[in-house]
Amino acid sequence: MRPIIGITSDCFEGRFRVSKNYAMCITIAGGIPIMLPPILDLQESFLDLCDGFVFTGGDDPLMEQWGIDTDPSATPCDKVRQQFETSMLEKLSNLPHKPVFGICLGMQWMGLLAGGTLVQNLDLEFAEHHKKGTHLVSGELGSGVVHTSHHQAITETGSLEIAAVADDGIIEAVCDHDRKWYVGVQWHPERTENEVLGQGLFNSFCKAATV
């Protein structure tokens, strides 16, 4: 059976939207992608329906949820989207057999919910490096050049383990080895040409979601 993979969507000008690259990578990996609109009343249905979940990239977290002021430089995430996705991640902590793949914003939420910390505005020397499009990462997930675009970063990972770092030391991936497949990456694998750190991660994720 091909696994059904739920992909979270952004809210923009009255529409739910998500890059087609996520769906294409899931399809290539053998999964069946479906878009999850951030509707709170449907969370339990989504948890039952899907074999795995991709938490996609987007704008910046609203830090008030963690008792911290949101930095003025941030582009705040849609409130309903944040409520939906952080709540889904919390519910998934009780379903360790369900694979979870967090990308960019998704990884940041994973880190924050695990008790980690977030730098909301990287120093200029780091921000320019990470917003320029590509850089080198290495770790247990593999090594290579990835596609990236972010000005915030997890600096403490809480209960999660570091799975990759950039060549300047910025944490680029986290994981939880106590769960079937729980990985967050700061880069965008759906736009990364490196096979191991791009499509290969979706392949591994969908394999874990196969029932």
Side-chain angles (χ1 to χ4, degrees), residues 27-194:
T27 303
I28 292 170
I32 299 174
I34 62 171
M35 186 178 77
L36 304 182
I39 299 174
L40 295 170
D41 290 345
L42 295 180
Q43 287 180 307
E44 295 300 330
S45 296
F46 291 152
L47 290 169
D48 290 338
L49 174 66
C50 298
D51 301 305
F53 296 86
V54 175
F55 289 80
T56 61
D59 293 326
D60 303 319
L62 292 159
M63 295 302 295
E64 283 75 12
Q65 182 170 338
W66 292 275
I68 300 170
D69 290 338
T70 300
D71 192 278
S73 67
T75 301
C77 177
D78 178 84
K79 291 182 179 180
V80 175
R81 179 187 179 183
Q82 176 158 325
Q83 183 182 3
F84 173 82
E85 295 193 25
T86 56
S87 176
M88 284 285 285
L89 281 167
E90 289 173 335
K91 292 176 183 296
L92 282 162
S93 67
N94 296 316
L95 300 170
H97 63 287
K98 297 262 187 180
V100 176
F101 193 5
I103 295 171
C104 198
L105 173 63
M107 171 189 156
Q108 293 173 0
W109 277 334
M110 291 166 76
L112 288 166
L113 290 170
T117 56
L118 179 77
V119 171
Q120 296 190 64
N121 194 10
L122 290 170
D123 291 338
L124 182 61
E125 62 178 300
F126 292 109
E128 288 301 314
H129 178 67
H130 286 267
K131 291 181 73 175
K132 70 180 183 180
T134 60
H135 63 252
L136 181 67
V137 303
S138 61
E140 66 176 86
L141 299 180
S143 300
V145 175
V146 297
H147 184 97
T148 187
S149 177
H150 64 100
H151 71 107
Q152 300 188 337
I154 292 291
T155 55
E156 299 290 339
T157 61
S159 61
L160 302 178
E161 297 180 48
I162 297 174
V165 296
D167 50 357
D168 60 5
I170 294 292
I171 296 172
E172 285 285 327
V174 294
C175 65
D176 185 344
H177 291 298
D178 291 330
R179 297 171 67 164
K180 186 175 183 180
W181 206 96
Y182 193 81
V183 175
V185 298
Q186 186 61 70
W187 68 87
H188 284 271
E190 80 284 1
R191 286 184 273 163
T192 291
E193 295 181 4
N194 181 289

